Amino acid sequence: MNYQEIERLTTQYATPMYVFDIGVLRDRIRQLNEMLPENVGLCYAIKANTFILKEIADCLDRFEVCSPGEGYICERLNMPMEKLVISGVYKTPEYIEHLICNHPNVGIYTVESMEQFCLLKKLSAKYHVRLSVLLRLTSGNQFGLEEDEIFRIISTERETFDIRGIQYFSGTQKNSVKRLKREIDYLDGFLQTLQQEYHFAAEELEYGPGLPVAYFEAEEFDEAAHLAELSQLLTGMQYQAKVTLELGRSIAASCGTYLSRVVDAKTNKKQNYAILDGGIHHLVYYGQTMAMKIPMHQVFPPREGEEKNWNLCGSLCTINDILVKQLPVTDLKIGDVFAFHNTGAYCMTEGISLFLSRDLPQVVLLKENGETVLARSAVATDPINTPNYERI
């Protein structure tokens, strides 16, 4: 985002705000498709950022929904239901029944547990539908099924569902190719076992590789080399199935900028402090480590001159509300705007946004033609935090 765009946005809209650049977002998806094997699809985990869904509905294969709330957002936006993967460790019976009754064209459901399997089996029988499912294989945490549970479902319940294949996810920000190789080798062997011992040919593998995103200035990550090695591992699998990579931050992070304005500046005990109208309730970086790292950023307006170190603090009344420590800034003044980059994933929902009842920031979409769209006005949180003593 250039300085002219920052000036235009901060003139037109109040800070703090999130800006999501749709041109950058769509370019990122094109870049990923070009860097990955041709037969590999992309699934977007919408928990990363729900505000951009409508803008990318046409350029991704799938969208993963992990809660009823995310599902209702998709319905309101008229997202293509056939592209939805209904996932998540807790699928409420009410919501699954709602989907089966009202959206029989939902693409696919994941099975996370035997309890979920029984729920889906019961509802499919009740409404006489044959659901398409992916069996989620656990990576050793609260997600997914044990191997023997998948073997049992494949052996005894194959006719109950259209079992499309396996889903597997083990974490985020994974930059170790050795770890990716271990996982892909394991999945390759597991799919071969299903075919050879259980005569089940899985059509699909949905895999979450946890591609890393660089958030801080000191980080060095050769993404091109990483994706090339991932692509080589995928194409080298002996078992040939349709592979879909489930990604969140890797798709959305680069399109986001968080803008926050300096509202006060002072020196206490020889330390310079700038108070911003945002804070840690809005700006959340993976691996932030108590503001010791310097996120990728710009200061507007730019100035030349001597730099001084500033501690950038937010507007919350807690000593923990520090965005950056000892940041060199030239001639900082009240009214300056800090633009924090790579905030397109998780920031707007993952922070402690209700703390101290500060407003939720505006959300602005910057379209490819330069047009801006106010996707969400500032939202007052004090009504949410006010107890209701009304008696019926």
Side-chain angles (χ1 to χ4, degrees), residues 141-331:
N141 45 40
Q142 73 267 40
F143 302 106
L145 295 153
E146 293 268 41
E147 289 185 6
D148 62 342
E149 291 174 320
I150 291 179
F151 296 150
R152 186 160 75 242
I153 291 173
I154 294 294
S155 299
T156 62
E157 301 285 355
R158 200 176 303 187
E159 300 306 314
T160 305
F161 299 107
D162 173 19
I163 303 176
R164 303 291 295 276
I166 301 298
Q167 184 192 54
Y168 185 88
F169 181 81
S170 66
T172 191
Q173 291 290 88
K174 294 185 293 188
N175 56 18
S176 169
V177 175
K178 289 183 179 180
R179 180 175 175 184
L180 292 178
K181 185 179 187 307
R182 286 197 301 270
E183 292 179 355
I184 291 171
D185 286 347
Y186 167 62
L187 292 169
D188 197 5
F190 185 77
L191 291 169
Q192 291 180 69
T193 298
L194 290 178
Q195 183 177 47
Q196 295 165 5
E197 298 185 18
Y198 295 88
H199 309 290
F200 173 73
E203 300 174 41
E204 300 186 28
L205 168 64
E206 185 175 296
Y207 173 51
L211 296 181
V213 170
Y215 286 121
F216 305 104
E217 292 184 352
E219 290 180 332
E220 294 183 2
F221 172 62
D222 188 343
E223 183 183 59
H226 188 79
L227 288 176
E229 292 181 281
L230 172 61
S231 297
Q232 186 175 4
L233 291 171
L234 293 173
T235 55
M237 291 179 66
Q238 293 185 45
Y239 188 91
Q240 295 299 302
K242 167 66 177 176
V243 176
T244 303
L245 298 183
E246 183 260 306
L247 305 172
R249 72 178 74 243
S250 182
I251 289 175
S254 60
C255 80
T257 302
Y258 174 68
L259 299 175
S260 186
R261 191 181 298 274
V262 176
V263 293
D264 202 352
K266 55 188 173 181
T267 301
N268 288 344
K269 303 291 185 180
K270 298 183 181 180
Q271 290 285 316
N272 297 319
Y273 293 94
I275 309 300
L276 277 61
D277 57 7
I280 59 171
H281 52 322
H282 300 160
L283 186 65
V284 181
Y285 285 111
Y286 189 95
Q288 200 158 353
T289 61
M290 295 299 292
M292 297 301 291
K293 297 180 180 180
I294 298 178
M296 298 175 187
H297 70 283
Q298 292 171 278
V299 186
F300 176 82
R303 299 188 184 94
E304 296 181 357
E306 182 184 356
E307 290 182 337
K308 291 183 179 180
N309 288 339
W310 288 85
N311 299 302
L312 304 187
C313 303
S315 54
L316 301 179
C317 288
T318 168
I319 59 172
N320 295 321
D321 192 6
I322 305 176
L323 301 174
V324 192
K325 292 180 179 178
Q326 300 299 309
L327 178 68
V329 182
T330 300
D331 193 22

Side-chain angles (χ1 to χ4, degrees), residues 15-74:
T15 57
M17 78 176 97
Y18 300 108
V19 181
F20 303 127
D21 190 319
I22 304 307
V24 170
L25 174 64
R26 294 178 70 90
D27 283 345
R28 173 60 177 169
I29 294 170
R30 283 191 286 269
Q31 178 192 39
L32 286 169
N33 281 320
E34 290 170 359
M35 297 176 76
L36 291 166
E38 188 175 342
N39 63 336
V40 172
L42 293 179
C43 173
Y44 176 58
I46 74 171
K47 61 180 178 286
N49 185 341
T50 58
F51 291 97
I52 60 176
L53 287 178
K54 191 79 170 175
E55 307 298 327
I56 55 176
D58 64 334
C59 54
L60 289 168
D61 301 282
R62 286 180 174 165
F63 296 85
E64 186 189 49
V65 170
C66 286
S67 73
E70 289 181 355
Y72 289 128
I73 290 170
C74 288

